[in-house]
Amino acid sequence: MLAKHRHFLRFTTRELTDEQAGLRTTASELCLGGLIKHVTAVERGWRNFILEGPSAMGDFTAMTEADWAQRADEFRMLPGDTLDAVLADYTEAARLTDELVATLPDLGATQPLPKAPWFQAETEWSARRVLMHIMAETAQHAGHADIIRESLDGAKSMG
């Protein structure tokens, strides 16, 4: 299922230039390249969480304005970013996640969630729950990407 949603997300960028991948086509701040950068960071962060626990993600309640600005950059194509490089980075993050899933001895192993205003305190997630979160996030953003692409030039991922 995750591979399917990854495919649809990547498919929205077919035959685009770097400039097109960075265009905002809706009232949202989102662009196709930025969405892929974000999903890459999400997948990488949660993979590290499975392996290392909450320290891999940091304490979101202690983030500075600069930290938040840096995080916002994962939703944009920055000067020097190329679509090919963004897609290659996503491919590598996906490969590492798939490798982890294939080798993890216990999908039921849990880690406490990092401190963040959007997480319930004193909660643990299993590796299985984390993978479901990655899948949901990828599917949600594949839908966003489909809307952005259709607004860009009428191309659709399905239908």
Side-chain angles (χ1 to χ4, degrees):
M1 184 63 76
L2 180 54
K4 173 184 164 184
H5 292 302
R6 284 177 182 148
H7 164 76
F8 281 121
L9 178 58
R10 292 175 62 88
F11 190 63
T12 63
T13 66
R14 69 197 177 282
E15 301 173 8
L16 292 181
T17 65
D18 296 337
E19 181 183 357
Q20 289 171 312
L23 291 176
R24 293 175 43 216
T25 62
T26 67
S28 165
E29 292 288 325
L30 301 175
C31 67
L32 293 172
L35 277 173
I36 293 172
K37 285 175 63 175
H38 171 66
V39 173
T40 301
V42 164
E43 198 158 321
R44 188 173 284 127
W46 283 110
R47 177 187 177 278
N48 291 340
F49 170 82
I50 290 171
L51 294 169
E52 302 166 25
S55 64
M57 298 180 98
D59 180 350
F60 291 97
T61 64
M63 287 178 64
T64 66
E65 277 189 47
D67 294 331
W68 286 111
Q70 183 178 0
R71 184 176 166 90
D73 283 345
E74 74 184 33
F75 288 94
R76 299 188 256 286
M77 291 287 282
L78 301 174
D81 284 346
T82 66
L83 182 56
D84 285 344
V86 166
L87 290 169
D89 196 30
Y90 185 43
T91 297
E92 178 63 8
R95 184 190 70 74
L96 291 172
T97 300
D98 291 345
E99 183 180 281
L100 176 63
V101 170
T103 59
L104 197 63
D106 182 9
L107 289 175
T110 62
Q111 298 276 14
L113 288 175
K115 290 182 181 179
W118 49 84
F119 290 136
Q120 183 178 354
E122 309 298 321
T123 301
E124 293 187 347
W125 277 10
S126 67
R128 182 178 291 105
R129 173 64 181 87
V130 169
L131 294 168
M132 294 298 292
H133 179 74
I134 292 170
M135 190 180 321
E137 181 110 358
T138 304
Q140 179 181 17
H141 289 312
H144 293 145
D146 200 34
I147 292 166
I148 293 168
R149 179 60 192 259
E150 189 171 353
S151 298
L152 179 66
D153 63 3
K156 298 178 184 178
S157 296
M158 299 175 70

